[in-house]
Amino acid sequence: MAILIGGLGLFWALRDRGDEDARADEEVASVEVRAEEDRPRTRFDGNEWRDVTPPSRGRSSAEREAALLSGAPTSGPTPRYPSGRMVSSLDVYRAMSAYPPDSRPLEPERHHDLIDWNRQQHGSNPIEGDEQGTTYLYTADLAWVMGEGPIRSWLQVSRDDQPVEAEVLQAWVAPNARRGEELTPQQRQPVRLEYTRDGDRWVHDLVPAQAFPNVPRRSIDLVFVIEFTYEGATRPARAALSALWAPPGAQPARFTGTFRDAVEAGSLAIYVGVEVTEPGFFNVDANLWGEGEAPVAWTKWRGDLTPGQQEIRLSFFGKALVDSGASPPFRLEQLRGFRYAESQSPAVQPMDAYPGAYVCTSREGFADAEWDDPLREERIAELERVESQGGNPPVPLESFLGNLPPEQRAREAERLGVDPNDFTAEALSRIELPPDEPEM
Amino acid sequence: MKTLATLALVAFVLLPSVADAQTMIYVNGLGSTNWLDGSSKGETPRRANLSWINTHVDAWVDQRYDHQQAVAQFKGILDQHCRGTNWCYVMAYSNGGAVTTETLSVYGNQWKIAWIFTTAGNQGGSEISNMSWMSELFGGCDMADEIGPGVHRRPSFNHNAVPVAVYNVGGDGYCWGCGLGATHPFLPGNDDGVVAPHSAYSYTNTNGYDHGCQATQWTNHYTAYRCDGVNEDHFKVKTQHIQCLESGC
């Protein structure tokens, strides 16, 4: 029986291997051509912010397994981390806690999720059952949809980085809320969506407040489903996406547009006015920018808010301002927040993001000192205790230095006697590890 | 008197002081209710055999129906075990990584947690979430459609604001148990059959990566022990972090 199963597995793995090898060769060749042409991206996904060149891709686990079964040569011992150096958890924590956990340097290359914060994060996906390498992108322009506002969703089908003719068969959107005030069967009724062609894409603009006028005032997941066919399809394909909608009147609080700022204990404190209609536990996030669009820092505030007008205090850590090297005036932007209702699902109740910026009056007096907090000292003492017993996970130097903001990376690299330029995102993206041999 | 003094000394040595208490909390993955529940299909779970741990806690977090209910349950576990003078260490598998990091992102630095260690973590979401047979792969789990990149990477969860270090290890082996590996084409990069490296290694975008030392990870998320994944599939790496702690990897 085992032989039979093994034989079937071997047959499955090796079937059509000749064709696969040929296709793999074509893929490798096409990747090389793209690199020579210096194309900015390797996936035709229509998302401008993702117009980056992903790291070069080695063989996947499936390809390695197939190579092993076919007797293709494999590489020697794998270097698990090219630097050959590890950093202890204790040193990792000492470095990361130079800044407090809720206010740290803002890095555009790393923190696109904090800057372009309301973007859906979807990539192109292969179409299930398609053997031609056809991919689709089904996404939307927003992750949070507020009140009576619209959300644009679109479908794009491609193959070999080129658009493929597609046709939408049917599409619909349905509201969903798993816990808390339930939706009635009538409120959960899906609404049909009519997509229209827009160049290479099929596009739909939905105003949820018009499509679902009678839902309760609570956060709701909107689940979009689309069925489509395309040139060369052997059967229809289906895709889905979701967005979080706060119906009109469901916002638990609003930013009043009042601000003031001060330098407090070497950090920049910005007091933000809010008016709360539904008390509870809130998160508020924001970014700080300097003159000439220079990125400075991000911050997060968490706490309980009571009904009525009040201020919350956003703190941008002094050392993050100093390390940024940015010049004043400093601007508060991307101010957004939500109430978190753990007894409901979806639990997140978004506030309308503040659409503008606040220019701070404070220009100097920021401290260069590291974060000084009793919990930091306690955590270091605890890590020292466990470190002495070999209990903490170490980190390859690449991951440690790659995770630090530029100024701190330079300091730590000097301390460790290495070149910080070897650990930038661009340098790290070039690391290739030979595959190790799978155990059989 | 001498006997009493001896007994007192013995009691002092044998009974760990409250300040020295180290608790390891284990969080399972999609479709499970607790660490020992086999519904996540991971290999047989076990506790870490490390001398410095005083208490092992099997986190009862229901990951069958509602991800955010799981977050609420995990918060309750942290409230119970990780306050005062007790230090917690969190070991999470698969979607347990998302439950853990989202809880810490929303609620912040209010517990005594030294670090989080994930194996095959789903903190960045899995592309196969919306596939027609994802739910069946995990035993008919209703929560399968809540764990994609579009949900776990929503603006609500600022993964950069997890207040403690998140260490990650993963696998990149061929997944025979994933419909004879049919899931691999849907995951970008050198995946384990269920989660892609962008998720397991906490990368800030969903591009395809070969391993965990390539580019921008969320702030304070690190790849532990080795840049590449161990050559095992998603289900076989359930206790990889434990093995790494015990004997390296």
Side-chain angles (χ1 to χ4, degrees):
Chain A
M1 186 62 183
I3 293 172
L4 178 62
I5 292 172
L8 283 172
L10 193 63
F11 167 76
W12 179 86
L14 294 176
R15 69 192 169 98
D16 298 328
R17 190 168 53 78
D19 293 341
E20 287 174 6
D21 285 346
R23 281 198 295 273
D25 289 340
E26 287 171 9
E27 286 171 10
V28 170
S30 64
V31 167
E32 287 173 353
V33 169
R34 284 198 296 271
E36 287 167 6
E37 292 174 357
D38 196 26
R39 296 184 61 168
R41 62 189 184 206
T42 59
R43 287 199 287 185
F44 188 81
D45 56 25
N47 247 345
E48 292 76 15
W49 67 274
R50 296 184 66 253
D51 280 354
V52 296
T53 302
S56 58
R57 183 182 181 282
R59 289 188 299 178
S60 70
S61 48
E63 291 161 347
R64 294 206 317 269
E65 197 82 16
L68 184 82
L69 289 169
S70 68
T74 55
S75 304
T78 303
R80 304 301 186 201
Y81 38 101
S83 68
R85 294 177 66 173
M86 287 282 196
V87 178
S88 73
S89 292
L90 188 56
D91 285 342
V92 166
Y93 183 71
R94 280 195 178 115
M96 68 176 264
S97 59
Y99 308 98
D102 298 331
S103 178
R104 305 179 61 84
L106 181 66
E107 304 167 68
E109 198 166 35
R110 181 190 311 279
H111 294 137
H112 60 80
D113 56 337
L114 304 183
I115 296 169
D116 203 3
W117 61 272
N118 202 18
R119 280 278 192 173
Q120 291 264 353
Q121 292 207 44
H122 289 117
S124 300
N125 282 319
I127 293 176
E128 207 170 339
D130 181 276
E131 296 185 352
Q132 307 169 77
T134 313
T135 63
Y136 73 91
L137 175 72
Y138 186 45
T139 190
D141 60 349
L142 300 172
W144 288 354
V145 196
M146 301 304 298
E148 297 177 348
I151 176 171
R152 166 169 283 203
S153 59
W154 66 88
L155 172 77
Q156 193 165 21
V157 180
S158 58
R159 188 183 302 135
D160 299 329
D161 282 358
Q162 296 299 319
V164 168
E165 189 70 24
E167 184 178 345
V168 176
L169 300 175
Q170 61 173 338
W172 63 91
V173 59
N176 186 27
R178 295 192 184 215
R179 281 188 304 137
E181 186 178 354
E182 291 187 2
L183 303 182
T184 65
Q186 188 178 13
Q187 290 167 338
R188 287 198 300 267
Q189 281 296 311
V191 167
R192 194 179 188 86
L193 305 177
E194 298 295 338
Y195 279 75
T196 57
R197 191 185 293 274
D198 177 21
D200 300 329
R201 311 189 300 187
W202 286 90
V203 175
H204 184 272
D205 293 309
L206 175 75
V207 178
Q210 293 174 3
F212 306 106
N214 300 316
V215 294
R217 292 179 179 180
R218 55 154 301 163
S219 290
I220 290 171
D221 272 324
L222 296 175
V223 181
F224 295 74
V225 180
I226 192 167
E227 292 180 351
F228 60 97
T229 187
Y230 54 93
E231 183 185 342
T234 54
R235 61 182 180 183
R238 174 185 277 211
L241 70 91
S242 69
L244 185 66
W245 176 40
Q251 292 91 330
R254 70 179 186 90
F255 296 109
T256 60
T258 59
F259 300 90
R260 63 188 177 93
D261 64 274
V263 179
E264 296 178 354
S267 293
L268 175 60
I270 302 178
Y271 292 84
V272 177
V274 293
E275 182 176 15
V276 177
T277 50
E278 194 170 354
F281 183 76
F282 283 75
N283 279 211
V284 173
D285 293 85
N287 301 326
L288 192 71
W289 301 81
E291 189 180 42
E293 302 298 321
V296 178
W298 58 265
T299 195
K300 180 184 253 307
W301 177 91
R302 307 176 183 90
D304 291 312
L305 292 176
T306 54
Q309 293 208 3
Q310 57 216 279
E311 286 181 329
I312 61 169
R313 180 182 180 275
L314 299 184
S315 178
F316 289 93
F317 189 59
K319 185 173 181 56
L321 273 73
V322 172
D323 282 354
S324 75
S327 302
F330 297 109
R331 296 187 328 279
L332 180 80
E333 292 187 19
Q334 292 94 35
L335 176 63
R336 69 276 188 196
F338 61 89
R339 178 179 184 267
Y340 195 82
E342 67 178 40
S343 61
Q344 298 182 10
S345 185
V348 171
Q349 299 175 274
M351 300 166 61
D352 272 321
Y354 185 69
Y358 167 68
V359 180
C360 300
T361 57
S362 303
R363 301 176 65 91
E364 57 188 12
F366 307 112
D368 189 31
E370 292 190 354
W371 184 46
D372 183 15
D373 186 271
L375 184 55
R376 183 190 190 200
E377 300 309 315
E378 284 184 51
R379 192 171 274 130
I380 287 174
E382 171 66 9
L383 291 171
E384 282 174 341
R385 182 162 50 210
V386 174
E387 189 83 25
S388 67
Q389 299 176 69
N392 290 325
V395 169
L397 187 60
E398 289 81 355
S399 182
F400 170 65
L401 289 178
N403 198 279
L404 298 178
E407 286 296 316
Q408 195 180 20
R409 180 186 306 131
R411 288 195 295 268
E412 289 292 324
E414 183 179 5
R415 184 178 69 81
L416 294 165
V418 296
D419 183 348
N421 295 319
D422 292 340
F423 299 91
T424 62
E426 185 186 1
L428 293 176
S429 71
R430 293 194 294 266
I431 294 177
E432 291 187 35
L433 300 177
D436 52 358
E437 293 185 12
E439 295 173 9
M440 296 298 289
Chain B
M1 189 63 190
K2 188 177 177 182
T3 307
L4 278 176
T6 304
L7 285 173
L9 180 64
V10 168
F12 178 78
V13 170
L14 291 182
L15 296 175
S17 69
V18 175
D20 286 339
Q22 277 82 25
T23 298
M24 193 159 273
I25 296 178
Y26 303 86
V27 192
N28 206 342
L30 179 66
S32 71
T33 56
N34 67 99
W35 179 249
L36 299 177
D37 181 349
S39 300
S40 69
K41 291 188 67 178
E43 70 173 14
T44 305
R46 65 184 183 86
R47 306 186 318 177
N49 183 23
L50 298 166
S51 62
W52 52 272
I53 305 168
N54 304 115
T55 308
H56 301 266
V57 171
D58 181 348
W60 281 76
V61 173
D62 191 339
Q63 298 187 59
R64 295 174 299 177
Y65 309 111
D66 183 343
H67 179 78
Q68 290 181 347
Q69 186 171 35
V71 169
Q73 290 173 342
F74 184 62
K75 173 178 177 283
I77 288 165
L78 298 181
D79 285 340
Q80 183 181 352
H81 295 282
C82 311
R83 291 193 182 279
T85 55
N86 197 28
W87 279 96
C88 283
Y89 295 78
V90 180
M91 305 288 277
Y93 167 57
S94 192
N95 199 62
V99 171
T100 302
T101 53
E102 290 175 16
T103 305
L104 271 287
S105 170
V106 168
Y107 291 105
N109 206 20
Q110 55 179 280
W111 297 287
K112 289 284 191 66
I113 297 173
W115 43 249
I116 296 164
F117 198 173
T118 82
T119 179
N122 192 43
Q123 49 269 28
S126 171
E127 283 78 1
I128 64 173
S129 166
N130 286 322
M131 288 177 63
S132 55
W133 36 277
M134 172 67 170
S135 173
E136 281 70 32
L137 186 62
F138 289 90
C141 167
D142 283 349
M143 211 175 89
D145 62 354
E146 285 190 54
I147 61 161
V151 177
H152 282 346
R153 292 172 180 270
R154 275 184 180 171
S156 334
F157 305 118
N158 178 353
H159 293 267
N160 303 281
V162 175
V164 299
V166 179
Y167 299 107
N168 299 310
V169 293
D172 57 14
Y174 193 75
C175 189
W176 295 101
C178 301
L180 286 179
T183 50
H184 285 292
F186 301 95
L187 294 159
N190 210 5
D191 60 274
D192 67 5
V194 174
V195 298
H198 74 70
S199 174
Y201 298 116
S202 299
Y203 283 114
T204 60
N205 62 47
T206 57
N207 287 338
Y209 294 94
D210 292 340
H211 52 79
C213 292
Q214 280 186 286
T216 48
Q217 294 164 299
W218 283 311
T219 296
N220 298 340
H221 293 240
Y222 304 92
T223 301
Y225 287 97
R226 51 189 283 172
C227 290
D228 57 343
V230 294
N231 188 40
E232 299 285 4
D233 69 27
H234 185 79
F235 305 115
K236 293 198 180 81
V237 295
K238 178 171 181 175
T239 58
Q240 187 62 45
H241 45 9
I242 294 174
Q243 181 178 322
C244 292
L245 275 176
E246 289 175 344
S247 55
C249 59

